Every structure is written in C-alpha cells, then in structure tokens.
Amino acid sequence: MKIQDTSSLCMASDKYHNEIGEFINICTSAFPTSIEVPYVELANHFLDYSSSSRKLIKCGYDLDTNVTGMNGLRNSVDELSNSERHVLESFRKLFDYYKDEERLPFEIWKTFQDMVTSGVEISSERESKEFRLKTDTREYMDDSVDASKQQEQIKESVVGMQKDLDTIQALDMDGQRRIDRVEVTQKHFDRIDAIPNISSEQKDILKSMLVSYVGMRVESFKAMENFAHKALDAWQQRRIYGDGLSYEYDVAIFALSDLTTSFSKDLYETIQDFRLYESTERLQADIAAMNMFRDYQKNGMIDSDLLSRLLKTSDLHTETYNALSCLSYFTEKQNYELLQNRSSTTVGSRSRFK
C-alpha cells in the first residue's frame, strides 16, 4: 500500500473530465502539491519503516524461539546418541560372549530382540530430531538473512524520512510550519462556484468535501510527521519504534488511504451526478467520517453516537465502513483501558485507607 498525493486522484473520464480536473486543481490549491508531496513521501517512508520494523521484530522472536528449540534438539540428539551407543555396546558385549555357542537359551534371544527393538526406537527418534534440527537450522538461516534485509530496509527508510523532514522543515515560513497555514478559503469556494455544467447542490457538496478532505489530510500528515520523529529518535538510541504502535498510527493510515479512496469515488459520483439524490446520505456520511477522523487526530475527541449512526448508513463505501469500524474498535478499546485504569486506581486508593 502506498499513500498518493491529491493530484493523482484526477483519473481520465470522458464526461465531465474538465470539471473533475478543475476540482482537483482547487484541492491542490488549498493544499499545494509542493507541501503535500513531501508529506506523502514521508508517510510512505514511514509505512516502509513500520512494515520492516514489524517484520524485524517477528524475525527476532522467531530467531530466539529457534535458538531455544535448536538447543533443545541438540541436547536431545546427544542424549539419544549416547543411549544408542550404550545399547550397541551392550549388544556387542552380549554377542561376543555367546558368539561361539551353537544354541542359545530363549531368554538370551529375547534379550537380543529387546536390544534391537530399543536400538531401532532410539535410532528412529534420533534421526527424526536430526531432521528437525536441520530444518530449524535452515529456517534460522533464512530468518537471519531476512532480519539483515529488514535492517537494511529500515536504514533506507530512516535516511528517507530524515531527508523528507529536512524538506518539510525548509518549507517553514517566518518560524511557522507551512502545513499549519494550509486552509480552505473563500477563493476556493468561488472557484467551485465557477465550475460549469454542475448544479448548486453539487457545488455545495463539493465545498463540504473540500473542507473535510483537506482538514483530514492535514491532521493525518501531522500525525505521520510525529511518528517519523519518534522513529528517528529511536534509531539514534538503537531501538525500533514500531512494536505496539499507537492507535493514532492506524487512524492516520485509514484516513490517508481508505477515506481518501472514498473521497475519490464521491468526487466522480457527485460531479457526474449518478442519481445524486440517492447517494446524498452516503456522501454526507463520508464527509462526516472525514471530519471525525480529523477531529480525533486533532483533539482525541469523538462523538460515539454519531459514529454508531454512520456505521449504520446504508450503502456505505467499503473503505469508509472499514475506517469507521477501525475507529470504533480503537475508541472502545481506549475506553475499556481507561475504565480499567480508573478501577485499578480506585482499588489502590481504597486499600490505602483500610
């Protein structure tokens, strides 16, 4: 998965191509490409970093597990080999003792049989564990190679993030971050009003979509910038930032990918007016979803009742439903953890007064 910049949303369309292209131009005027692209590259570098980090953490776990398992197998193989040698030596001694006899008592033949049976069982188990040891050793080597590969990819991602952050910092104006100055203004609404061949109702929807989309993207990119700084700080301390990433990470990714996809679909449907009266509810739900993700990332607040209603909207885009479901899960989990913490604090406070 790769995050795309807004200009890439302008796909070819026979009808209303100019109108769609003009709205995309308005979007890139409100959130200039020169500002957005470095953030898109930063987000993608962090995605690569996160993916490699998680793989490296898994490789580390697998390597540790394999080492423990292989040590156990080696010890077991050594013990079985010793047992096998002991059986073989006992067999040889007994055979040497009776080798010149023409007839043997039944008990001796039975002892030979028991020794052979024991030797077969021990040998079979030893060979099985030796085979498993060879397999585990190959897996260990593969994991070691994969771990080295992930480490190199993490290093490349770190270099890329640092370059992107430097580019972003160079955009600052008068000591203020350039992204903090991104906003939708009246001039953008005027340009939407000037788009030909679409109704005033369509233009109103496009205005709401523009405000929500830009606001959501701004807050999501700010979150990704924060994650990138944490990743670089961890790198300086020879640590990996990625084990148990916060909820905000997935929220930002859903906003920059799934909800952006829904926005693109809504754009074409709104301008090309495919039964707009039938899709108004879904369009409004998508707009509300973008606002919800924007506000959640901005201040951590969320309207649970509204979220529940949005999830019940008929004919939601799959991407919107997935994003809202993710947000619902995160908020429920956070609320549960908050209640657990409060409960623990209350119990601890009461115990001190017993």
Side-chain angles (χ1 to χ4, degrees):
M1 178 182 65
K2 290 292 183 182
I3 306 302
Q4 296 181 322
D5 64 275
T6 302
S7 62
S8 66
L9 299 179
C10 188
M11 298 179 289
S13 176
D14 294 333
K15 189 177 182 182
Y16 297 113
H17 174 71
N18 292 334
E19 288 77 7
I20 293 173
E22 173 57 16
F23 182 73
I24 292 295
N25 289 336
I26 295 171
C27 290
T28 56
S29 173
F31 197 158
T33 303
S34 60
I35 303 172
E36 187 188 29
V37 167
Y39 278 97
V40 169
E41 293 178 352
L42 177 66
N44 284 323
H45 277 130
F46 186 81
L47 278 175
D48 292 339
Y49 171 90
S50 176
S51 175
S52 297
S53 296
R54 289 173 175 176
K55 290 178 182 177
L56 182 59
I57 290 170
K58 183 180 183 303
C59 283
Y61 174 80
D62 290 342
L63 287 170
D64 291 341
T65 302
N66 280 348
V67 167
T68 301
M70 287 189 298
N71 288 337
L73 284 173
R74 288 192 186 96
N75 292 334
S76 182
V77 167
D78 289 342
E79 292 174 0
L80 290 168
S81 296
N82 289 332
S83 297
E84 189 176 3
R85 282 193 295 270
H86 176 72
V87 171
L88 186 58
E89 289 173 3
S90 298
F91 183 89
R92 284 171 176 166
K93 288 179 180 179
L94 187 62
F95 178 80
D96 288 341
Y97 185 80
Y98 288 103
K99 66 180 180 180
D100 295 327
E101 298 292 329
E102 293 183 359
R103 292 184 303 171
L104 295 176
F106 171 78
E107 291 78 8
I108 300 304
W109 284 113
K110 185 66 170 59
T111 301
F112 276 128
Q113 183 183 42
D114 291 343
M115 286 182 176
V116 170
T117 299
S118 177
V120 169
E121 291 175 352
I122 294 172
S123 177
S124 176
E125 185 178 359
R126 173 184 55 76
E127 290 184 355
S128 175
K129 290 190 175 181
E130 284 177 337
F131 179 79
R132 285 169 54 193
L133 181 58
K134 289 180 181 178
T135 301
D136 288 353
T137 300
R138 286 195 296 269
E139 291 179 356
Y140 179 85
M141 296 303 297
D142 290 342
D143 287 338
S144 296
V145 171
D146 192 24
S148 297
K149 178 181 177 181
Q150 301 308 327
Q151 287 174 332
E152 286 301 314
Q153 291 180 344
I154 287 174
K155 183 177 180 180
E156 292 178 5
S157 298
V158 166
V159 171
M161 285 190 291
Q162 185 61 68
K163 181 180 178 181
D164 297 331
L165 288 172
D166 291 341
T167 300
I168 289 170
Q169 185 176 8
L171 296 172
D172 292 353
M173 297 179 64
D174 301 325
Q176 183 182 21
R177 290 198 305 168
R178 187 65 182 84
I179 196 170
D180 289 334
R181 303 176 66 160
V182 171
E183 62 178 344
V184 177
T185 63
Q186 184 59 45
K187 72 175 183 180
H188 301 117
F189 291 157
D190 292 341
R191 288 182 61 179
I192 290 176
D193 285 332
I195 297 177
N197 303 320
I198 59 175
S199 68
S200 58
E201 180 185 4
Q202 291 169 290
K203 292 174 181 178
D204 288 340
I205 293 175
L206 290 176
K207 290 175 184 178
S208 297
M209 287 175 58
L210 176 64
V211 172
S212 301
Y213 175 76
V214 170
M216 178 189 69
R217 298 277 285 189
V218 165
E219 295 304 323
S220 299
F221 283 132
K222 286 181 180 180
M224 298 303 291
E225 183 178 6
N226 182 45
F227 296 138
H229 279 296
K230 290 182 178 179
L232 294 183
D233 289 342
W235 177 260
Q236 293 297 326
Q237 300 173 29
R238 298 183 180 277
R239 294 187 298 102
I240 294 177
Y241 176 70
D243 187 12
L245 278 170
S246 62
Y247 305 142
E248 284 74 11
Y249 167 75
D250 287 314
V251 170
I253 296 303
F254 270 102
L256 294 171
S257 56
D258 290 55
L259 288 183
T260 295
T261 298
S262 293
F263 170 82
S264 179
K265 291 179 178 179
D266 290 342
L267 166 60
Y268 285 86
E269 185 168 331
T270 300
I271 289 185
Q272 299 192 60
D273 196 18
F274 293 141
R275 298 186 179 91
L276 187 61
Y277 65 92
E278 294 182 358
S279 58
T280 299
E281 182 182 7
R282 184 178 69 244
L283 292 170
Q284 294 298 338
D286 285 342
I287 292 171
M290 288 190 288
N291 291 338
M292 187 169 288
F293 272 70
R294 176 199 64 202
D295 295 340
Y296 181 78
Q297 294 180 101
K298 191 172 184 178
N299 53 39
M301 302 299 293
I302 189 168
D303 186 335
S304 299
D305 292 336
L306 175 59
L307 176 57
S308 179
R309 291 198 301 272
L310 291 176
L311 281 168
K312 296 176 183 177
T313 302
S314 62
D315 201 26
L316 269 180
H317 290 306
T318 300
E319 294 82 2
T320 303
Y321 182 82
N322 290 339
L324 290 172
S325 296
C326 170
L327 187 59
S328 177
Y329 170 77
F330 290 155
T331 52
E332 288 178 4
K333 189 172 183 179
Q334 283 181 318
N335 290 337
Y336 175 78
E337 291 174 351
L338 181 60
L339 288 174
Q340 289 293 97
N341 291 335
R342 287 178 179 175
S343 177
S344 298
T345 302
T346 302
V347 171
S349 300
R350 288 175 178 174
S351 65
R352 288 195 295 270
F353 292 97
K354 286 184 178 180

